[in-house]
Amino acid sequence: MSRESPHLIVVADADALAKAAAERVLARIGHASGRVAVCLTGGSTPQRLYELMATEPYRSALPWNLIHWFWGDDRYVPQDDPRSNAGMARRRLLDRIPVPAGNIHAIATGGASAQEAARLYEAELRRFYGAERLDPERPLFEMVLMGLGSDGHTASLFPGHAELEEKERWVTGVDEAGLEPFVPRVTLTFPALASTREMLFLVSGHDKREVLTRAFSGANLPATRAYCDGEIVWLVDRDAAPEHRDVA
Ligand code: 6PG
């Protein structure tokens, strides 16, 4: 599942999950003294977290001027489309706080294709990082948030898709999504997602229990193939918690 054993934290419910995640974000970047990058995830699970971060005590405690926001994946739709991951994070978080416009690095979806958007985003990430190669000693991100699909996908890395094997590119287009919404996607690859001090999976709800049980039983799923230069943490609520685990 990772280079080191993943750390599983089980909390009571979706509200507790959002709070625990916000506390981890705060602990990780609250005291940043220079520019830091955070990679956001899409879907429904992180929505409460994003709303929570726009409220106290997080609102006053996070160094908004220093945080640069990126996305692990997006659907190739305009930002005002309800399916847009960037649009969702803007409405629930970024539009509600004093974040400099230059700190928001959304995946551009108005161009020729998802493949072209991936090339542009890769160039943007490389510019921000200041090098063509990722150095495990100097991760690109402080934190990467990740989700888990019922088929085991994470970001837009779907089971059986060629993008799972990508070793060189940081970002790639996905012409056909493996799950709804069936629109082209743009996704960071495993090597780019791995370049972080903390990879935090957020998983909530009963309908994730089966796939999470498979993940923690060693199944080969995109989410379990994700690796990380830093720490991998699975933050899950009790409804989603894998069976046969000793949960708190
Ligand atoms: C996307 C995602 C995706 C998501 C999972 C979980 O754009 O679809 O980023 O990887 O995190 O599908 O989504 P839910 O939180 O909605 O279950």
Side-chain angles (χ1 to χ4, degrees), residues 41-46 73 75 85 147-149 153-156 185 208:
T41 181
S44 56
T45 311
D73 74 318
R75 292 87 181 262
N85 288 340
L148 175 68
H153 82 265
T154 191
S156 283
R185 313 287 188 98
K208 297 290 172 65

Side-chain angles (χ1 to χ4, degrees), residues 24-107:
R24 292 196 76 87
V25 172
L26 190 56
R28 188 62 71 181
I29 59 176
H31 298 293
S33 53
R35 194 181 74 153
V36 289
V38 173
C39 187
L40 297 174
T41 181
S44 56
T45 311
Q47 295 183 3
R48 287 180 203 221
L49 164 65
Y50 297 165
E51 286 173 354
L52 193 61
M53 285 199 294
T55 65
E56 299 298 350
Y58 310 103
R59 187 184 173 91
S60 296
L62 286 167
W64 301 107
N65 284 340
L66 298 178
I67 310 172
H68 285 254
W69 304 95
F70 292 88
W71 276 262
D73 74 318
D74 212 338
R75 292 87 181 262
Y76 196 71
V77 295
Q79 268 187 35
D80 59 6
D81 184 301
R83 296 169 296 184
S84 163
N85 288 340
M88 183 276 277
R90 275 184 177 277
R91 287 189 300 280
R92 297 189 184 248
L93 172 64
L94 302 172
D95 287 348
R96 302 182 182 189
I97 50 173
V99 58
N103 290 20
I104 300 175
H105 305 264
I107 295 169

Side-chain angles (χ1 to χ4, degrees), residues 1 6-21 24 45 146-148 198-216 223 232-248:
M1 181 180 274
H7 181 185
L8 173 68
I9 301 172
V10 182
V11 296
D13 54 26
D15 284 336
L17 187 96
K19 182 153 191 303
R24 292 196 76 87
T45 311
M146 301 275 262
L148 175 68
E198 176 171 338
M199 176 177 278
L200 179 63
F201 281 88
L202 304 175
V203 190
S204 171
H206 202 263
D207 58 341
K208 297 290 172 65
R209 172 170 282 214
E210 188 192 328
V211 65
L212 204 53
T213 299
R214 288 173 60 211
F216 276 82
I232 298 187
V233 178
W234 286 79
L235 185 55
V236 315
D237 69 11
R238 205 165 273 149
D239 282 349
E243 286 160 29
H244 318 304
R245 295 288 301 199
D246 193 13
V247 297

